[in-house]
Amino acid sequence: MTGDHSSKQYDADLETIRSNVLAMGGMVERQFQDAISAFRNGNLELAARVMKDDESVNRLEVELDDACSHLIVRRQPTANDLRTVMATIKIITDLERVGDEATKIARNAIHLHKRGVGPINHYETVRVIAEEASEMLRSALDSFARLDTEQATALIAQDASIDHGFRSITRSLATFMMEDPRTISASIDTLWVAKAIERIGDHAKNIGEYVIYVVGGKDIRHTDFGSAQIAATDED
């Protein structure tokens, strides 16, 4: 009876943590959306709010890390459960870093629009990869909520498209800067925004990899996508 009670309490504690992680995910998803909106529209007040919101995200990271640590100490989870807790800790870290990247976008939006928009359409330069990264982040959170390895595998594949888009943006901005030195400062700000978006895609990919690890116990980090596909298929 004691063991059964302990197991139920562990499940309840873990579910509380999962719910709070998803709430944190919603916070950073909104941060990212607001940062891109500020970059598009030059809304300096919105950009400042994104930067301010990062303080709340950072506090929540500390609280959730502490909750996970206490869960391990109090409940002493077995191997499978411990895997879930450790993966959750890593997901928390990735979400906090998404918030950091959103803050970078907001900061560069302020720099860009205080100087005035130059000859290039800065938002259109990054629009496609911003939409792709937003979709990846949403899928990552959804796959974590439902422990859906198929969705996790699909979002991992999307990261290659964002990487390709980032390389294309880098080449285009280099051309702008060479052809018109007046665009250098604004192009560099835009390049930093594009890099932050690319990193958000990386963090979403990491979350997908951790979902696959939680469900199947297979660590597919630093492997090619084929390995991820095998991991997802094995769970069917």
Side-chain angles (χ1 to χ4, degrees):
M1 290 296 294
T2 302
D4 183 59
H5 175 75
S6 177
S7 176
K8 288 181 179 179
Q9 187 59 54
Y10 167 81
D11 290 341
D13 290 347
L14 183 59
E15 186 56 36
T16 297
I17 291 172
R18 280 171 48 82
S19 296
N20 288 331
V21 171
L22 290 170
M24 181 183 182
M27 291 172 64
V28 300
E29 188 176 14
R30 184 171 61 252
Q31 257 191 298
F32 179 36
Q33 292 169 350
D34 286 349
I36 291 297
S37 181
F39 180 70
R40 180 176 66 245
N41 300 322
N43 188 330
L44 303 187
E45 183 178 341
L46 183 59
R49 191 175 75 193
V50 169
M51 297 168 66
K52 180 67 175 176
D53 287 347
D54 200 47
E55 297 174 7
S56 298
V57 172
N58 291 342
R59 284 196 299 269
L60 190 53
E61 180 199 20
V62 173
E63 291 171 5
L64 287 171
D65 277 349
D66 187 61
C68 288
S69 297
H70 277 79
L71 183 64
I72 292 172
V73 172
R74 290 197 312 267
R75 306 301 173 194
Q76 298 181 350
T78 58
N80 289 346
D81 289 337
L82 181 60
R83 184 176 74 214
T84 299
V85 177
M86 297 307 295
T88 300
I89 291 172
K90 291 180 180 295
I91 289 171
I92 292 165
T93 299
D94 274 295
L95 289 175
E96 188 275 333
R97 289 176 180 170
V98 170
D100 287 345
E101 298 300 335
T103 299
K104 291 177 186 177
I105 294 170
R107 186 178 298 116
N108 280 283
I110 292 172
H111 294 165
L112 181 66
H113 290 286
K114 277 188 173 179
R115 285 198 299 265
V117 177
I120 63 174
N121 189 329
H122 305 284
Y123 171 68
E124 284 301 317
T125 303
V126 302
R127 178 182 60 80
V128 173
I129 64 168
E131 291 173 353
E132 289 178 337
S134 181
E135 181 182 347
M136 278 188 71
L137 182 57
R138 190 176 304 112
S139 293
L141 293 169
D142 193 42
S143 67
F144 174 64
R146 299 188 294 115
L147 294 180
D148 186 334
T149 57
E150 289 188 10
Q151 187 172 21
T153 301
L155 78 90
I156 290 169
Q158 287 181 267
D159 191 54
S161 177
I162 294 180
D163 291 344
H164 175 76
F166 174 70
R167 289 191 294 269
S168 178
I169 288 169
T170 301
R171 290 191 296 268
S172 296
L173 290 174
T175 300
F176 278 125
M177 288 186 282
M178 287 187 294
E179 292 180 349
D180 187 352
R182 294 175 301 172
T183 68
I184 290 176
S185 293
S187 293
I188 290 174
D189 282 334
T190 304
L191 182 60
W192 283 120
V193 169
K195 182 59 180 176
I197 294 169
E198 188 265 342
R199 290 295 297 140
I200 288 173
D202 288 342
H203 292 306
K205 175 186 175 183
N206 290 348
I207 294 171
E209 291 174 343
Y210 294 134
V211 169
I212 291 171
Y213 175 66
V214 166
V215 175
K218 297 186 179 182
D219 190 346
I220 62 168
R221 292 175 299 170
H222 312 302
T223 63
D224 59 21
F225 173 66
S227 297
Q229 195 167 29
I230 289 170
T233 300
D234 286 347
E235 302 309 317
D236 293 339

